[in-house]
Structure formats: C-alpha cells, structure tokens
Amino acid sequence: MKFNKFSTIKHRKDNSVNDTSIVTSTWFYQNVRGLKTKLKDFFMSVSSGVYSVIIITETWLDDDINDNELFSNQYIVYRKDRSLNTSEKKWGGGVLIAVNKSLKSKILPISDPSIEEVWISVQFEDLQVCVGTVYIPPSKLT
C-alpha cells in the first residue's frame, strides 16, 4: 500500500497582498480503511516526509495500538477510536490528527459522543488554524 496524499499550503503571515513573507506547511490526508495490518508501511511512509499536520480517517484502531507504533516521536497524536458509544460495531471507524511537535497545538473541546471526531487548534507562526476530522458511523446517518 502506498500512502502519498499530501498538499503543501502557503499563506502570507498577515494575509495582506503586500506581505512577502510566506509560511509553508505540508499536510497529509488519507482514508486508510484500517491501519492494524498496515502499521509498518504507514510508519515508514509518514516517517519518510516531514509533515506539519497528518489527518487520518477510518483508522480502525483501538487501545491495543499505541501512538508510537504509528508515528515517530516528532508528532503529537490526537485520536478518537471506535467505541460502543459511537457505533454498534466493534471495529471500523476512528479518526486521528497528528501534529508536528515544532508547532503549538491543543485539543479543542468540541465533541459529540455519538460521532468519531477530533478538533484541534494549530499555531503556524502568526496564524491560528482550527482543524477537524470527523467520521460519522453508518448507523448514525439515519
């Protein structure tokens, strides 16, 4: 499996057209449809690049998998695994956001216990960004 969906985002520090200073961040997003059987490939893939923010949906993870099996110690990991509160199914779902430790980040208290979601705030120099990832289990769509 090849993990390679990423984007480089450039923005001006003060959002004015006269500002010539550019802040660059590299983002990685993937709906992986399960990481348990892809741990080594995933770890090698994200370790081969330097990403500012990594967003993963459908992780299919649980408490048996530690964050250090997914990422090197250069990332802070925020995740919400599948639970019986979000779905009748024991496996599937789950989301996570990993932020490079060179950036300030914090979890945001936005949460619905019936949805698998993570919301964080990330500081890019003078720019603060709210980032979220949400997975709504199929049984919750009706």
Side-chain angles (χ1 to χ4, degrees):
M1 161 135 317
K2 190 172 186 179
F3 300 94
N4 63 359
K5 295 183 180 180
F6 67 92
S7 297
T8 299
I9 300 170
K10 296 181 180 181
H11 58 270
R12 299 183 191 289
K13 280 187 180 180
D14 68 5
N15 289 327
S16 74
V17 291
N18 297 325
D19 186 5
T20 57
S21 57
I22 302 290
V23 177
T24 301
S25 58
T26 304
W27 295 57
F28 178 104
Y29 165 78
Q30 185 86 41
N31 179 325
V32 294
R33 295 199 35 102
L35 279 175
K36 284 186 175 186
T37 61
K38 308 167 191 167
L39 289 174
K40 185 176 179 182
D41 290 338
F42 179 79
F43 184 92
M44 296 304 291
S45 179
V46 296
S47 295
S48 67
V50 178
Y51 301 102
S52 305
V53 178
I54 299 170
I55 302 169
I56 306 295
T57 56
E58 286 199 78
T59 61
W60 299 8
L61 297 176
D62 55 36
D63 292 343
D64 294 338
I65 306 296
N66 296 315
D67 295 342
N68 62 3
E69 294 178 75
L70 303 167
F71 301 98
S72 68
N73 63 0
Q74 72 184 31
Y75 292 98
I76 297 171
V77 180
Y78 305 95
R79 70 188 232 201
K80 185 165 185 183
D81 300 335
R82 168 68 46 91
S83 77
L84 293 177
N85 292 332
T86 58
S87 175
E88 295 100 28
K89 297 180 180 180
K90 292 183 181 180
W91 61 273
V95 295
L96 71 78
I97 301 175
V99 179
N100 194 296
K101 285 185 178 178
S102 66
L103 300 169
K104 288 183 183 178
S105 66
K106 65 180 180 179
I107 192 81
L108 295 175
I110 303 170
S111 184
D112 178 336
S114 67
I115 298 174
E116 294 155 18
E117 63 183 330
V118 173
W119 293 92
I120 63 167
S121 172
V122 182
Q123 187 75 38
F124 294 94
E125 295 189 22
D126 295 336
L127 179 68
Q128 187 169 358
V129 178
C130 177
V131 180
T133 182
V134 178
Y135 179 78
I136 300 173
S139 64
K140 299 296 180 187
L141 293 175
T142 57

